[in-house]
Amino acid sequence: MKQLKYLIYLLSFVFALYSCNSDDDNNGDGGSGTAPTEVNANRNVVTTDAAVARLEFPKLKGGNSIVLVNRTTGDKQYDRDEVNYCVEWDCDKKAQRWSCYQMHRGYTGNYSRVVDGYLFDPKLSSSQYLDKDYFYGSGFDHGHICPNADRKYSYKANEQTFYLTNMQPQYRKFNGYSSSGQDQGEGLWVRMEDKVRSWSPNATTDTLYVCKGGTIDKESNIIKRVQGKLIVPKYFFMACLLKNSQGYRAIAFWAEQKNEWKTYDDLADYAITIDELEQKTGIDFFCNLPDKTENEVESKIAIKAWGL
């Protein structure tokens, strides 16, 4: 009888252990992208919206900064939570700190630049926004942080990328390109966006998690304020985390915004580790990863693995 009780106890223990270690982490399937249930001391605390637990999110700054979650009703086949992209908006500075989003095979489509112009985000009150669009006449482009070219799967998803909360002022020679006349070239930011887009996985089980933005928190990292209000970042960054069958790997780009073409610069010269990017920005990227995984992937980059 004692042996039978012991055997039952042992089987119960093994079953419980198996159950705890077989949780689906929901990553890479076009779903919520929440982190595995492992030790994670610095994860975001969910208060009002569960989206902040997704892997593309950095640590929230708090204070008078808020998270804007852009959702598209009826797009569950692309994302089970219908999340398009998210923004951290600083209500004091009236500027965005970053946009974050996912890329996988499901985000392809035919919708592109579906609106002519730029939209005030309906989720913000007038007191949280600048009183007008100060980009116009400033000498700077409306620089998409989540590109409209990364959100072609539906009209609404593409339209939402034209919210002013998704914009940062960028020089045309940094953000655009020209193939006519004598002033020809391709902007460094555009080249980086094209490279990141090329990393979008083809397998249904794989996902690229992206967080991008410009520096708004230190005066030394700001070029100017248009009419004393609209912040023009001096530096721009991209943080990328890829999950595939081999596990996780990460890479970052960091670039100074200059009014000159960087058509032939080697993008590898702008690649740094996530740890290095965190030191430069003060932002804790991919904080929703388990601590062990986060420490491993953020401390190194495999340049060749990223095709650089």
Side-chain angles (χ1 to χ4, degrees):
M1 181 63 69
K2 290 183 178 179
Q3 290 179 335
L4 180 59
K5 288 182 178 179
Y6 177 77
L7 180 60
I8 293 173
Y9 172 80
L10 181 63
L11 289 173
S12 299
F13 175 78
V14 170
F15 178 78
L17 183 64
Y18 173 79
S19 299
C20 290
N21 287 312
S22 61
D23 292 337
D24 180 9
D25 65 9
N26 292 325
N27 295 329
D29 60 356
S32 61
T34 52
T37 53
E38 299 176 25
V39 176
N40 187 359
N42 66 325
R43 77 179 76 180
N44 281 326
V45 176
V46 176
T47 54
T48 58
D49 199 310
V52 301
R54 291 161 67 97
L55 288 184
E56 63 267 30
F57 265 79
K59 187 74 172 178
L60 304 181
K61 188 174 181 64
N64 207 21
S65 293
I66 60 176
V67 173
L68 305 173
V69 180
N70 294 294
R71 285 188 166 87
T72 54
T73 304
D75 285 332
K76 283 185 180 293
Q77 71 266 38
Y78 302 103
D79 188 293
R80 72 178 66 171
D81 296 323
E82 300 176 325
V83 174
N84 185 17
Y85 73 97
C86 304
V87 171
E88 184 172 76
W89 182 259
D90 191 307
C91 296
D92 292 328
K93 299 177 185 296
K94 305 292 194 297
Q96 76 124 269
R97 186 166 284 106
W98 44 256
S99 292
C100 68
Y101 55 98
Q102 297 182 11
M103 291 289 288
H104 56 74
R105 192 171 69 174
Y107 286 120
T108 56
N110 297 317
Y111 294 94
S112 182
R113 302 198 72 87
V114 298
V115 295
D116 183 18
Y118 301 91
L119 313 171
F120 284 94
D121 193 323
K123 293 183 293 299
L124 290 181
S125 65
S126 58
S127 64
Q128 295 170 317
Y129 229 136
L130 293 175
D131 57 317
K132 65 177 183 179
D133 185 350
Y134 284 88
F135 286 78
Y136 288 113
S138 68
F140 295 92
D141 286 351
H142 290 81
H144 283 72
I145 303 302
C146 175
N148 91 90
D150 287 355
R151 286 298 183 264
K152 292 185 174 183
Y153 62 93
S154 76
Y155 184 100
K156 190 63 178 178
N158 195 267
E159 179 187 51
Q160 287 177 346
T161 67
F162 287 86
Y163 286 164
L164 285 166
T165 45
N166 186 44
M167 302 294 155
Q168 287 282 22
Q170 293 180 325
Y171 291 118
R172 183 177 68 88
K173 291 183 179 181
F174 182 73
N175 173 56
Y177 62 90
S178 175
S179 58
S180 61
Q182 295 184 351
D183 187 17
Q184 297 185 22
E186 188 172 16
L188 181 59
W189 185 253
V190 170
R191 295 180 58 216
M192 289 178 174
E193 286 187 329
D194 287 342
K195 177 56 70 174
V196 171
R197 196 171 297 117
S198 74
W199 294 335
S200 184
N202 290 319
T204 57
T205 56
D206 301 346
T207 302
L208 182 69
Y209 303 94
V210 183
C211 184
K212 300 159 58 180
T215 53
I216 65 171
D217 289 318
K218 293 181 180 179
E219 287 301 317
S220 59
N221 289 342
I222 293 173
I223 293 175
K224 62 180 292 186
R225 283 176 169 80
V226 176
Q227 297 186 38
K229 295 186 177 183
L230 178 65
I231 292 175
V232 181
K234 184 177 181 179
Y235 299 96
F236 281 87
F237 59 84
M238 303 184 183
C240 300
L241 173 72
L242 177 65
K243 178 187 180 293
N244 58 22
S245 60
Q246 297 177 347
Y248 294 95
R249 70 172 185 262
I251 190 172
F253 284 130
W254 171 262
E256 182 176 355
Q257 177 174 208
K258 294 184 176 181
N259 193 19
E260 55 189 61
W261 299 116
K262 297 289 185 180
T263 309
Y264 302 107
D265 279 20
D266 190 342
L267 293 183
D269 293 339
Y270 298 91
I272 59 176
T273 67
I274 301 297
D275 280 347
E276 291 173 308
L277 184 61
E278 290 177 340
Q279 292 176 359
K280 292 178 180 295
T281 62
I283 299 172
D284 181 3
F285 295 96
F286 308 123
C287 68
N288 292 321
L289 277 174
D291 292 339
K292 182 180 179 181
T293 304
E294 182 181 0
N295 291 334
E296 289 175 353
V297 301
E298 292 188 353
S299 62
K300 55 190 177 183
I301 50 175
I303 293 294
K304 291 184 178 179
W306 293 97
L308 295 176

